[in-house]
Amino acid sequence: MKLRRRETVGLQLVTALGAAALLFPFLWMISASLQTLQEVEAFPPIWIPEVPQWTNYVEAVVNYTIGRALLNSAVVTTVSVVGQLIVCSLGAYAFSRLRFPGRDAIFLLFLATMMIPHYVTIIPLYTMVWSAGLIDTYTALIFPGLFSPFGTFLLRQFFNQIPISLDEATLIDGGNHWHIYLYVIMPLSRAGLGALGIFSFLGIWNTLFWPVLVINSKELFTLPLALAMAQGQFVTLIHVQMAGSVIACVPVIVVFLMLQKQFISSIALSGMKQ
């Protein structure tokens, strides 16, 4: 019993140290966002500002278009995540429930695309967007986020855990595949949908490389792009940049707190028999 207690205490200590290491940059970012420029550049570092500078957030939102960029990121991320959940769930339903020739082979080929580095597809994707005349539009930002081989694979694994008998009962009651998809599969796959929602939200919200390629107008800047441009143009205003970074982190934290139960459930169920 003493040995187990020591192991438990040791594990908790290591976990606490790891959490502290992860929180250190985040806490410094919050502290720097409330300091003056002189306090941020001071050495040794100042952790508690003498007078919190809340005006840094106002300056970030008003003068550096963080407010407009925040709205753009919210629109692009929301539409992309909802679209991805719809597209991936439909594809996952087809691979999980429908029977057609070559289904397993097509699914393996579909999974093989996950091994292709993302940057390899940038040039053909940019060519498609440019040919369609969508450069510097919301559509150019939203379109790539609607499709995800990983999302389809993840939801298929959840759909496979749902008993086929529920589908047969729906068909006996006069339903069809749309009824099975909407009233049986989707309500029972909330954990998978929540997990995919978190993954896709984080990926789309934080993406920078693609907006740099397809967006030229300042009015369409997403939050990561606006922060990157502010860093290049106003490199000395670290405290204002940190305020913008805190603003960018808040939606991510809120979404995770809202969907953490589904995220934890998805981890618990991911190792179950498929």
Side-chain angles (χ1 to χ4, degrees):
M1 292 296 293
K2 292 183 179 180
L3 180 60
R4 290 181 180 179
R5 289 178 181 176
R6 292 177 182 176
E7 292 178 350
T8 302
V9 172
L11 180 60
Q12 293 176 346
L13 180 61
V14 172
T15 303
L17 292 176
L22 293 175
L23 286 175
F24 178 81
F26 183 72
L27 294 177
W28 183 88
M29 179 179 65
I30 296 176
S31 175
S33 69
L34 297 174
Q35 298 179 19
T36 63
L37 181 59
Q38 292 73 19
E39 289 176 329
V40 172
E41 296 177 343
F43 186 83
I46 299 175
W47 282 93
I48 301 178
E50 184 176 351
V51 179
Q53 303 295 316
W54 299 103
T55 55
N56 293 341
Y57 290 88
V58 177
E59 188 175 358
V61 172
V62 176
N63 296 339
Y64 303 131
T65 67
I66 298 299
R68 173 71 183 188
L70 180 63
L71 177 61
N72 291 336
S73 288
V75 172
V76 170
T77 303
T78 300
V79 176
S80 298
V81 170
V82 173
Q84 186 176 132
L85 290 177
I86 295 174
V87 172
C88 291
S89 62
L90 289 173
Y93 180 85
F95 286 123
S96 176
R97 288 303 198 262
L98 301 184
R99 299 291 183 266
F100 53 89
R103 185 192 67 171
D104 294 338
I106 295 175
F107 181 67
L108 290 176
L109 182 63
F110 189 78
L111 288 182
T113 61
M114 296 174 59
M115 295 184 291
I116 301 176
H118 171 67
Y119 294 102
V120 174
T121 64
I122 289 294
I123 294 179
L125 184 59
Y126 179 86
T127 303
M128 292 172 57
V129 173
W130 178 81
S131 301
L134 299 176
I135 295 297
D136 204 26
T137 63
Y138 277 115
T139 306
L141 293 171
I142 295 172
F143 178 74
L146 298 178
F147 312 97
S148 172
F150 168 76
T152 303
F153 167 75
L154 178 66
L155 292 182
R156 175 186 175 273
Q157 302 306 95
F158 276 87
F159 293 175
N160 283 345
Q161 298 169 13
I162 300 175
I164 298 295
S165 58
L166 297 178
D167 301 13
E168 297 172 347
T170 303
L171 295 175
I172 292 174
D173 290 338
N176 52 38
H177 283 292
W178 282 111
H179 292 101
I180 297 173
Y181 169 78
L182 292 174
Y183 302 116
V184 177
I185 300 296
M186 297 299 283
L188 295 177
S189 302
R190 292 177 182 175
L193 294 172
L196 178 58
I198 290 177
F199 288 133
S200 59
F201 182 89
L202 291 175
I204 298 170
W205 183 267
N206 293 321
T207 185
L208 173 63
F209 187 65
W210 180 249
V212 168
L213 293 179
V214 299
I215 296 301
N216 301 318
S217 302
K218 194 173 183 179
E219 294 75 16
L220 294 178
F221 279 5
T222 58
L223 197 51
L225 182 56
L227 290 174
M229 294 298 103
Q231 183 177 3
Q233 186 176 0
F234 309 102
V235 65
T236 58
L237 302 182
I238 302 175
H239 56 309
V240 179
Q241 296 172 13
M242 293 300 101
S245 299
V246 172
I247 295 174
C249 291
V250 170
V252 177
I253 297 174
V254 171
V255 169
F256 178 78
L257 292 177
M258 292 173 57
L259 300 177
Q260 61 177 330
K261 290 184 179 180
Q262 287 81 356
F263 182 75
I264 296 174
S265 297
S266 68
I267 296 176
L269 295 173
S270 60
M272 294 180 63
K273 180 180 179 180
Q274 309 299 329

